[in-house]
Short mmCIF file of all heavy atoms in Angstrom, two decimals:
data_model
loop_
_atom_site.label_atom_id
_atom_site.label_comp_id
_atom_site.label_asym_id
_atom_site.label_seq_id
_atom_site.Cartn_x
_atom_site.Cartn_y
_atom_site.Cartn_z
N GLY A 53 49.93 65.10 -91.45
CA GLY A 53 49.42 66.06 -92.43
C GLY A 53 48.02 66.55 -92.14
O GLY A 53 47.39 67.19 -92.99
N LYS A 54 47.52 66.32 -90.92
CA LYS A 54 46.14 66.72 -90.57
C LYS A 54 45.97 68.24 -90.61
O LYS A 54 45.02 68.75 -91.20
CB LYS A 54 45.77 66.20 -89.17
CG LYS A 54 46.00 64.74 -88.94
CD LYS A 54 45.62 64.33 -87.54
CE LYS A 54 46.44 65.02 -86.46
NZ LYS A 54 47.85 64.57 -86.38
N SER A 55 46.91 68.95 -89.95
CA SER A 55 46.79 70.41 -89.90
C SER A 55 46.89 71.02 -91.29
O SER A 55 46.16 71.95 -91.63
CB SER A 55 47.86 71.01 -89.00
OG SER A 55 47.64 70.61 -87.67
N THR A 56 47.80 70.45 -92.08
CA THR A 56 47.94 70.92 -93.46
C THR A 56 46.61 70.77 -94.19
O THR A 56 46.15 71.68 -94.88
CB THR A 56 49.03 70.10 -94.17
OG1 THR A 56 50.21 70.13 -93.37
CG2 THR A 56 49.33 70.64 -95.53
N LEU A 57 45.97 69.63 -94.00
CA LEU A 57 44.68 69.36 -94.64
C LEU A 57 43.63 70.37 -94.17
O LEU A 57 42.88 70.94 -94.96
CB LEU A 57 44.25 67.92 -94.31
CG LEU A 57 42.95 67.45 -94.95
CD1 LEU A 57 43.06 67.49 -96.48
CD2 LEU A 57 42.61 66.02 -94.49
N MET A 58 43.62 70.61 -92.86
CA MET A 58 42.62 71.53 -92.33
C MET A 58 42.82 72.95 -92.86
O MET A 58 41.86 73.63 -93.19
CB MET A 58 42.64 71.56 -90.81
CG MET A 58 41.47 72.36 -90.27
SD MET A 58 41.65 72.90 -88.58
CE MET A 58 42.34 74.51 -88.83
N ASN A 59 44.08 73.38 -92.94
CA ASN A 59 44.35 74.73 -93.45
C ASN A 59 43.87 74.88 -94.88
O ASN A 59 43.37 75.94 -95.26
CB ASN A 59 45.84 75.04 -93.35
CG ASN A 59 46.28 75.24 -91.91
OD1 ASN A 59 45.45 75.57 -91.06
ND2 ASN A 59 47.54 75.01 -91.62
N ILE A 60 44.01 73.80 -95.65
CA ILE A 60 43.53 73.87 -97.04
C ILE A 60 42.00 73.88 -97.06
O ILE A 60 41.38 74.66 -97.77
CB ILE A 60 44.12 72.70 -97.86
CG1 ILE A 60 45.63 72.93 -98.03
CG2 ILE A 60 43.43 72.61 -99.22
CD1 ILE A 60 46.36 71.79 -98.69
N LEU A 61 41.40 73.03 -96.22
CA LEU A 61 39.93 72.99 -96.16
C LEU A 61 39.37 74.36 -95.79
O LEU A 61 38.35 74.80 -96.32
CB LEU A 61 39.47 71.96 -95.12
CG LEU A 61 39.59 70.49 -95.52
CD1 LEU A 61 39.19 69.59 -94.35
CD2 LEU A 61 38.69 70.19 -96.73
N GLY A 62 40.06 75.04 -94.86
CA GLY A 62 39.57 76.34 -94.38
C GLY A 62 40.01 77.51 -95.23
O GLY A 62 39.83 78.66 -94.85
N CYS A 63 40.64 77.22 -96.38
CA CYS A 63 41.10 78.27 -97.29
C CYS A 63 42.13 79.19 -96.63
O CYS A 63 42.23 80.37 -96.95
CB CYS A 63 39.95 79.12 -97.83
SG CYS A 63 38.80 78.16 -98.77
N LEU A 64 42.87 78.65 -95.67
CA LEU A 64 43.98 79.41 -95.10
C LEU A 64 45.24 79.14 -95.90
O LEU A 64 46.24 79.82 -95.76
CB LEU A 64 44.19 79.01 -93.64
CG LEU A 64 43.03 79.24 -92.68
CD1 LEU A 64 43.34 78.67 -91.31
CD2 LEU A 64 42.72 80.72 -92.58
N ASP A 65 45.20 78.10 -96.71
CA ASP A 65 46.37 77.67 -97.47
C ASP A 65 45.86 77.12 -98.80
O ASP A 65 44.69 76.77 -98.92
CB ASP A 65 47.09 76.58 -96.67
CG ASP A 65 48.54 76.42 -97.10
OD1 ASP A 65 48.97 77.14 -98.03
OD2 ASP A 65 49.23 75.57 -96.51
N ARG A 66 46.74 77.10 -99.80
CA ARG A 66 46.34 76.57 -101.10
C ARG A 66 47.07 75.27 -101.37
O ARG A 66 48.23 75.13 -100.99
CB ARG A 66 46.68 77.57 -102.21
CG ARG A 66 45.79 78.79 -102.20
CD ARG A 66 46.26 79.79 -103.25
NE ARG A 66 45.50 81.02 -103.16
CZ ARG A 66 44.44 81.31 -103.92
NH1 ARG A 66 44.01 80.43 -104.81
NH2 ARG A 66 43.80 82.45 -103.80
N PRO A 67 46.41 74.33 -102.03
CA PRO A 67 47.08 73.06 -102.34
C PRO A 67 48.12 73.25 -103.45
O PRO A 67 48.05 74.21 -104.20
CB PRO A 67 45.94 72.15 -102.81
CG PRO A 67 44.89 73.10 -103.32
CD PRO A 67 45.01 74.35 -102.50
N SER A 68 49.09 72.32 -103.52
CA SER A 68 50.09 72.37 -104.60
C SER A 68 49.49 71.82 -105.88
O SER A 68 49.82 72.24 -106.98
CB SER A 68 51.32 71.55 -104.24
OG SER A 68 51.80 71.93 -102.97
N ALA A 69 48.60 70.83 -105.73
CA ALA A 69 47.97 70.23 -106.91
C ALA A 69 46.64 69.62 -106.48
O ALA A 69 46.39 69.45 -105.29
CB ALA A 69 48.87 69.16 -107.52
N GLY A 70 45.80 69.33 -107.46
CA GLY A 70 44.50 68.74 -107.15
C GLY A 70 43.44 69.82 -107.03
O GLY A 70 43.73 71.01 -107.14
N GLN A 71 42.21 69.37 -106.83
CA GLN A 71 41.08 70.29 -106.83
C GLN A 71 40.40 70.33 -105.48
O GLN A 71 40.29 69.32 -104.78
CB GLN A 71 40.07 69.84 -107.88
CG GLN A 71 40.27 70.51 -109.22
CD GLN A 71 39.09 70.23 -110.11
OE1 GLN A 71 38.57 69.10 -110.14
NE2 GLN A 71 38.64 71.23 -110.83
N TYR A 72 39.94 71.52 -105.11
CA TYR A 72 39.11 71.68 -103.93
C TYR A 72 37.83 72.34 -104.42
O TYR A 72 37.85 73.49 -104.87
CB TYR A 72 39.84 72.54 -102.90
CG TYR A 72 39.02 72.94 -101.68
CD1 TYR A 72 37.75 72.39 -101.42
CD2 TYR A 72 39.52 73.84 -100.75
CE1 TYR A 72 37.03 72.75 -100.30
CE2 TYR A 72 38.81 74.21 -99.63
CZ TYR A 72 37.56 73.67 -99.41
OH TYR A 72 36.83 74.03 -98.31
N LEU A 73 36.73 71.59 -104.36
CA LEU A 73 35.45 72.15 -104.77
C LEU A 73 34.65 72.49 -103.52
O LEU A 73 34.43 71.63 -102.67
CB LEU A 73 34.66 71.16 -105.63
CG LEU A 73 35.38 70.67 -106.89
CD1 LEU A 73 34.50 69.66 -107.63
CD2 LEU A 73 35.72 71.84 -107.80
N PHE A 74 34.26 73.74 -103.40
CA PHE A 74 33.40 74.13 -102.30
C PHE A 74 32.03 74.37 -102.89
O PHE A 74 31.85 75.25 -103.73
CB PHE A 74 33.92 75.41 -101.63
CG PHE A 74 33.14 75.79 -100.40
CD1 PHE A 74 33.48 75.29 -99.16
CD2 PHE A 74 32.02 76.61 -100.50
CE1 PHE A 74 32.75 75.63 -98.04
CE2 PHE A 74 31.28 76.94 -99.37
CZ PHE A 74 31.65 76.45 -98.14
N ASN A 75 31.05 73.55 -102.44
CA ASN A 75 29.70 73.68 -102.97
C ASN A 75 29.71 73.59 -104.49
O ASN A 75 28.95 74.26 -105.17
CB ASN A 75 29.11 75.02 -102.56
CG ASN A 75 27.87 74.82 -101.70
OD1 ASN A 75 27.31 73.72 -101.69
ND2 ASN A 75 27.47 75.84 -101.01
N GLY A 76 30.63 72.83 -105.03
CA GLY A 76 30.65 72.64 -106.47
C GLY A 76 31.53 73.60 -107.23
O GLY A 76 31.84 73.37 -108.39
N SER A 77 31.99 74.71 -106.57
CA SER A 77 32.86 75.62 -107.34
C SER A 77 34.32 75.46 -106.90
O SER A 77 34.61 75.24 -105.72
CB SER A 77 32.42 77.07 -107.19
OG SER A 77 31.50 77.22 -106.14
N ASP A 78 35.20 75.61 -107.88
CA ASP A 78 36.62 75.40 -107.64
C ASP A 78 37.20 76.60 -106.88
O ASP A 78 37.16 77.73 -107.37
CB ASP A 78 37.35 75.24 -108.98
CG ASP A 78 38.76 74.68 -108.78
OD1 ASP A 78 39.28 74.80 -107.65
OD2 ASP A 78 39.32 74.13 -109.75
N VAL A 79 37.71 76.32 -105.71
CA VAL A 79 38.23 77.38 -104.85
C VAL A 79 39.46 78.06 -105.47
O VAL A 79 39.73 79.23 -105.23
CB VAL A 79 38.56 76.79 -103.47
CG1 VAL A 79 39.34 77.76 -102.62
CG2 VAL A 79 37.27 76.38 -102.76
N ALA A 80 40.18 77.33 -106.31
CA ALA A 80 41.38 77.90 -106.93
C ALA A 80 41.06 79.14 -107.74
O ALA A 80 41.91 80.01 -107.94
CB ALA A 80 42.04 76.86 -107.82
N ALA A 81 39.80 79.26 -108.18
CA ALA A 81 39.42 80.40 -109.01
C ALA A 81 39.03 81.61 -108.17
O ALA A 81 38.81 82.70 -108.71
CB ALA A 81 38.26 80.01 -109.92
N PHE A 82 38.92 81.42 -106.84
CA PHE A 82 38.47 82.54 -105.98
C PHE A 82 39.59 83.55 -105.78
O PHE A 82 40.74 83.18 -105.58
CB PHE A 82 38.03 82.01 -104.61
CG PHE A 82 36.71 81.29 -104.62
CD1 PHE A 82 36.11 80.93 -105.82
CD2 PHE A 82 36.07 80.99 -103.43
CE1 PHE A 82 34.89 80.26 -105.84
CE2 PHE A 82 34.86 80.32 -103.44
CZ PHE A 82 34.27 79.95 -104.64
N ASP A 83 39.25 84.84 -105.82
CA ASP A 83 40.27 85.85 -105.51
C ASP A 83 40.34 86.05 -103.98
O ASP A 83 39.59 85.42 -103.22
CB ASP A 83 39.96 87.17 -106.23
CG ASP A 83 38.63 87.77 -105.79
OD1 ASP A 83 38.05 87.26 -104.80
OD2 ASP A 83 38.19 88.73 -106.43
N ALA A 84 41.26 86.91 -103.57
CA ALA A 84 41.54 87.08 -102.14
C ALA A 84 40.28 87.51 -101.37
O ALA A 84 40.01 87.01 -100.27
CB ALA A 84 42.65 88.10 -101.93
N ASP A 85 39.50 88.42 -101.95
CA ASP A 85 38.30 88.89 -101.26
C ASP A 85 37.27 87.78 -101.10
O ASP A 85 36.61 87.66 -100.08
CB ASP A 85 37.67 90.05 -102.05
CG ASP A 85 38.32 91.38 -101.70
OD1 ASP A 85 39.24 91.36 -100.85
OD2 ASP A 85 37.91 92.40 -102.27
N ARG A 86 37.15 86.97 -102.14
CA ARG A 86 36.18 85.88 -102.11
C ARG A 86 36.58 84.85 -101.07
O ARG A 86 35.73 84.31 -100.34
CB ARG A 86 36.16 85.27 -103.52
CG ARG A 86 35.02 84.36 -103.81
CD ARG A 86 33.73 85.16 -103.95
NE ARG A 86 32.63 84.26 -104.21
CZ ARG A 86 32.33 83.81 -105.43
NH1 ARG A 86 33.05 84.20 -106.46
NH2 ARG A 86 31.33 82.96 -105.60
N LEU A 87 37.88 84.59 -100.99
CA LEU A 87 38.37 83.64 -99.98
C LEU A 87 38.12 84.20 -98.58
O LEU A 87 37.72 83.47 -97.67
CB LEU A 87 39.86 83.37 -100.18
CG LEU A 87 40.21 82.54 -101.43
CD1 LEU A 87 41.72 82.46 -101.59
CD2 LEU A 87 39.62 81.13 -101.33
N ALA A 88 38.35 85.51 -98.45
CA ALA A 88 38.09 86.14 -97.15
C ALA A 88 36.62 85.99 -96.80
O ALA A 88 36.25 85.72 -95.66
CB ALA A 88 38.48 87.61 -97.19
N TRP A 89 35.78 86.17 -97.81
CA TRP A 89 34.35 86.05 -97.59
C TRP A 89 34.00 84.64 -97.11
O TRP A 89 33.22 84.44 -96.18
CB TRP A 89 33.60 86.36 -98.89
CG TRP A 89 32.12 86.37 -98.70
CD1 TRP A 89 31.34 87.43 -98.35
CD2 TRP A 89 31.25 85.25 -98.81
NE1 TRP A 89 30.04 87.04 -98.23
CE2 TRP A 89 29.95 85.70 -98.51
CE3 TRP A 89 31.45 83.90 -99.12
CZ2 TRP A 89 28.85 84.86 -98.52
CZ3 TRP A 89 30.34 83.05 -99.13
CH2 TRP A 89 29.06 83.54 -98.84
N LEU A 90 34.63 83.65 -97.75
CA LEU A 90 34.37 82.26 -97.40
C LEU A 90 34.78 81.97 -95.95
O LEU A 90 34.04 81.35 -95.18
CB LEU A 90 35.17 81.37 -98.36
CG LEU A 90 34.55 80.03 -98.75
CD1 LEU A 90 33.19 80.22 -99.36
CD2 LEU A 90 35.47 79.31 -99.73
N ARG A 91 35.97 82.46 -95.58
CA ARG A 91 36.46 82.25 -94.21
C ARG A 91 35.52 82.91 -93.21
O ARG A 91 35.30 82.43 -92.12
CB ARG A 91 37.86 82.85 -94.06
CG ARG A 91 38.92 82.10 -94.84
CD ARG A 91 40.31 82.50 -94.39
NE ARG A 91 40.72 83.78 -94.92
CZ ARG A 91 41.43 83.93 -96.03
NH1 ARG A 91 41.81 82.88 -96.72
NH2 ARG A 91 41.77 85.12 -96.45
N ARG A 92 34.98 84.07 -93.63
CA ARG A 92 34.16 84.85 -92.72
C ARG A 92 32.77 84.24 -92.55
O ARG A 92 32.26 84.11 -91.46
CB ARG A 92 34.05 86.26 -93.30
CG ARG A 92 33.40 87.27 -92.42
CD ARG A 92 33.67 88.65 -92.96
NE ARG A 92 33.10 88.86 -94.28
CZ ARG A 92 33.76 89.27 -95.34
NH1 ARG A 92 35.04 89.52 -95.27
NH2 ARG A 92 33.14 89.43 -96.50
N GLU A 93 32.17 83.84 -93.67
CA GLU A 93 30.77 83.43 -93.64
C GLU A 93 30.58 81.93 -93.49
O GLU A 93 29.57 81.50 -92.92
CB GLU A 93 30.05 83.90 -94.91
CG GLU A 93 30.09 85.40 -95.13
CD GLU A 93 29.33 86.17 -94.05
OE1 GLU A 93 28.37 85.61 -93.47
OE2 GLU A 93 29.71 87.32 -93.79
N ALA A 94 31.53 81.14 -94.02
CA ALA A 94 31.29 79.70 -94.03
C ALA A 94 31.99 78.99 -92.87
O ALA A 94 31.42 78.09 -92.27
CB ALA A 94 31.74 79.12 -95.36
N PHE A 95 33.20 79.44 -92.58
CA PHE A 95 34.00 78.68 -91.63
C PHE A 95 34.07 79.34 -90.26
O PHE A 95 33.93 80.56 -90.13
CB PHE A 95 35.43 78.49 -92.15
CG PHE A 95 35.50 77.73 -93.43
CD1 PHE A 95 35.88 78.35 -94.60
CD2 PHE A 95 35.17 76.38 -93.45
CE1 PHE A 95 35.94 77.63 -95.79
CE2 PHE A 95 35.22 75.66 -94.64
CZ PHE A 95 35.61 76.29 -95.82
N GLY A 96 34.30 78.49 -89.27
CA GLY A 96 34.66 78.98 -87.96
C GLY A 96 35.81 78.11 -87.49
O GLY A 96 35.74 76.89 -87.57
N PHE A 97 36.92 78.78 -87.10
CA PHE A 97 38.11 78.00 -86.73
C PHE A 97 38.26 77.89 -85.22
O PHE A 97 38.02 78.84 -84.49
CB PHE A 97 39.37 78.66 -87.29
CG PHE A 97 39.40 78.68 -88.80
CD1 PHE A 97 38.94 79.77 -89.50
CD2 PHE A 97 39.89 77.58 -89.50
CE1 PHE A 97 38.96 79.79 -90.89
CE2 PHE A 97 39.92 77.59 -90.89
CZ PHE A 97 39.45 78.70 -91.59
N VAL A 98 38.67 76.70 -84.80
CA VAL A 98 39.04 76.51 -83.39
C VAL A 98 40.42 75.85 -83.42
O VAL A 98 40.60 74.80 -84.03
CB VAL A 98 38.02 75.60 -82.67
CG1 VAL A 98 38.43 75.39 -81.23
CG2 VAL A 98 36.62 76.19 -82.75
N PHE A 99 41.38 76.53 -82.79
CA PHE A 99 42.76 76.02 -82.86
C PHE A 99 43.20 75.46 -81.52
O PHE A 99 42.71 75.85 -80.47
CB PHE A 99 43.72 77.15 -83.25
CG PHE A 99 43.42 77.76 -84.59
CD1 PHE A 99 42.66 78.92 -84.69
CD2 PHE A 99 43.91 77.18 -85.75
CE1 PHE A 99 42.41 79.48 -85.93
CE2 PHE A 99 43.65 77.74 -86.99
CZ PHE A 99 42.90 78.90 -87.08
N GLN A 100 44.21 74.60 -81.60
CA GLN A 100 44.78 74.04 -80.37
C GLN A 100 45.29 75.17 -79.46
O GLN A 100 45.08 75.15 -78.27
CB GLN A 100 45.92 73.10 -80.73
CG GLN A 100 46.60 72.51 -79.50
CD GLN A 100 47.65 71.48 -79.89
OE1 GLN A 100 47.94 71.25 -81.06
NE2 GLN A 100 48.22 70.84 -78.89
N GLY A 101 45.94 76.15 -80.08
CA GLY A 101 46.52 77.25 -79.28
C GLY A 101 45.56 78.42 -79.11
O GLY A 101 45.99 79.53 -78.78
N TYR A 102 44.28 78.22 -79.33
CA TYR A 102 43.18 79.19 -79.16
C TYR A 102 43.27 80.35 -80.16
O TYR A 102 42.27 80.76 -80.72
CB TYR A 102 43.08 79.77 -77.75
CG TYR A 102 43.44 78.79 -76.66
CD1 TYR A 102 44.41 79.09 -75.71
CD2 TYR A 102 42.84 77.54 -76.59
CE1 TYR A 102 44.75 78.18 -74.72
CE2 TYR A 102 43.18 76.61 -75.61
CZ TYR A 102 44.14 76.94 -74.69
OH TYR A 102 44.49 76.05 -73.75
#
Side-chain angles (χ1 to χ4, degrees):
K54 308 179 298 289
S55 294
T56 308
L57 183 60
M58 188 198 94
N59 289 337
I60 291 173
L61 285 176
C63 299
L64 299 174
D65 201 359
R66 288 176 186 264
S68 308
Q71 267 191 319
Y72 173 9
L73 303 178
F74 185 88
N75 241 343
S77 14
D78 194 340
V79 169
F82 286 12
D83 62 10
D85 275 0
R86 194 71 181 277
L87 290 174
W89 185 90
L90 213 57
R91 291 194 283 266
R92 188 166 63 234
E93 301 295 332
F95 298 111
F97 296 93
V98 179
F99 299 96
Q100 178 175 4
Y102 326 126

